[in-house]
Amino acid sequence: MVYLSARAATAYDNAYHNKLRGRMWRALEGTAYDDRHDSGEPPGFVMSNPFPPRDMTEGDERKLLVASPDEELLANVAADLLEDPELNIGEMPFHVEDVTSLAPDVGEPGTRGTIETGTGLLVRIPPWRCDEYGIDHPGGDTAVFWQPEHTTEPLVEQLEANLDKKHDLFAHDHLPGPSDVEGDLFDGFELLKTFAVPVTVTEGQEMTYVLSKWRFDYTVRDDHHRRHLNLALDCGLGERNSLGLGFLNVTDRTRPSESELEGRDALA
C-alpha cells in the first residue's frame, strides 16, 4: 500500500495508465525484473488506480496498491518510491508519504467470498477462436474485445488460459495450474458495467480498450484453488496488467464455521 498526498489541486485523470506503468518500470530499472519490460509476457505485477478516484486539492490523501506474487519485486518498488517520492501519474502530481506491506488472501478452504475488479478487465478473443464462439470477426489478425453479447463462456476460458500462463511463469511448476484441476475458478459472475477508455499503449500510440467490471463469487475448494485465486489477486486477471488493468479486491470473505471445518477434516 502506497500512501500519497496531492502536491497540487487537480482533476482526476482517468487516462493515468501509461504514466503509472512507466513509474513502476522505472522503479525496477537495473533489477532482475528489468528484462520483463516489453517482453510480451505477463509482468508479474498489477496496480490499482489511485483511490478514491475524485478531483483533488493540495494535500488531499490518496492510496495506491501494487500487487505481485514476488516479494522481492515489491521490495524493489517500495524502496524506489521511498527514495524518490515524487510520483506523477498522468496529470496528477503526488508525493509518496509512506509504503506498507499487505498480505491479501482469499482464505482457507471452505471460505466463501466476493472478488471485484477494482479496475477494468481487458479480455480479447483471438480471431481463430471467434467462429467457435459464434462471434463475428471483421477479418485480419485483430482480436475482438469481449462484450456482453458474447456470453461468459469465452470470457471464462480466456481468463483461465491467461491465469494458466501466469501460473507457468510465477508459480511452482510442480503444482497443478488452474486448468489442471476440476472445478471453476469462480462460483458466479455479476457484470457491473462495460466501458471504453482511451489507453496509451506505447508513446505516441493510443488505443480505445473495451473493458468490463465484475463481481465474482467464490468458495475455496482446497489449497490448490486457494493458490490460484491468490495468484489472480497478485498478478491481476486478464491482459495488460502492467497498465493496471485487471486489479482485484476481496470485498467480502466469510470463514468456514467450526462444524464445516470438522466435516472437512472427517472427509479428509
Side-chain angles (χ1 to χ4, degrees):
M1 176 80 80
V2 185
Y3 295 87
L4 306 169
S5 61
R7 294 189 291 110
T10 184
Y12 193 86
D13 184 2
N14 288 303
Y16 64 86
H17 305 85
N18 186 52
K19 295 297 184 182
L20 180 55
R21 173 180 62 178
R23 184 63 182 90
M24 292 299 106
W25 283 121
R26 185 154 63 87
L28 295 171
E29 280 182 3
T31 72
Y33 307 97
D34 200 5
D35 60 359
R36 295 185 188 176
H37 193 198
D38 295 328
S39 69
E41 297 287 353
F45 66 86
V46 66
M47 308 85 67
S48 72
N49 58 321
F51 63 92
R54 55 175 180 260
D55 295 350
M56 290 162 277
T57 59
E58 184 178 355
D60 278 0
E61 297 177 349
R62 293 293 183 270
K63 296 176 183 178
L64 173 71
L65 286 164
V66 184
S68 174
D70 191 326
E71 292 184 6
E72 186 176 348
L73 184 151
L74 291 174
N76 277 284
V77 171
D80 190 84
L81 290 176
L82 291 170
E83 182 179 343
D84 181 9
E86 184 176 314
L87 178 59
N88 299 319
I89 307 175
E91 299 300 318
M92 300 179 289
F94 293 108
H95 184 272
V96 176
E97 299 293 341
D98 196 11
V99 179
T100 60
S101 61
L102 301 173
D105 193 326
V106 295
E108 62 192 301
T111 301
R112 298 181 181 88
T114 302
I115 289 174
E116 290 191 18
T117 53
T119 57
L121 194 66
L122 175 62
V123 176
R124 292 181 286 194
I125 315 302
W128 57 88
R129 300 208 66 182
C130 285
D131 281 346
E132 176 185 341
Y133 296 127
I135 297 172
D136 290 332
H137 189 270
D141 298 328
T142 304
V144 175
F145 292 106
W146 182 90
Q147 298 194 58
E149 60 265 27
H150 300 153
T151 75
T152 59
E153 181 186 359
L155 176 99
V156 171
E157 291 191 2
Q158 292 303 311
L159 290 179
E160 185 178 271
N162 180 269
L163 194 59
D164 266 331
K165 179 181 290 188
K166 292 165 182 169
H167 183 274
D168 291 343
L169 289 169
F170 308 120
H172 299 293
D173 56 9
H174 65 282
L175 296 173
S179 64
D180 297 323
V181 298
E182 292 186 8
D184 297 325
L185 197 63
F186 300 110
D187 297 338
F189 306 80
E190 181 184 353
L191 177 62
L192 302 177
K193 67 175 182 177
T194 57
F195 59 103
V197 61
V199 176
T200 301
V201 291
T202 59
E203 290 300 329
Q205 181 185 7
E206 185 178 275
M207 292 184 63
T208 298
Y209 282 165
V210 178
L211 309 176
S212 54
K213 285 195 173 183
W214 292 84
R215 182 177 292 123
F216 300 124
D217 297 322
Y218 69 87
T219 304
V220 182
R221 293 188 302 274
D222 52 32
D223 288 333
H224 292 313
H225 188 212
R226 181 182 189 177
R227 283 191 305 101
H228 301 155
L229 289 170
N230 281 335
L231 181 65
L233 292 182
D234 289 339
C235 289
L237 276 181
E239 303 176 58
R240 295 289 189 170
N241 306 126
S242 67
L243 286 166
L245 302 179
F247 184 85
L248 305 176
N249 292 305
V250 177
T251 57
D252 182 61
R253 190 177 67 173
T254 303
R255 293 187 44 157
S257 65
E258 290 299 325
S259 60
E260 287 175 316
L261 288 173
E262 289 173 0
R264 292 179 61 88
D265 291 341
L267 288 173

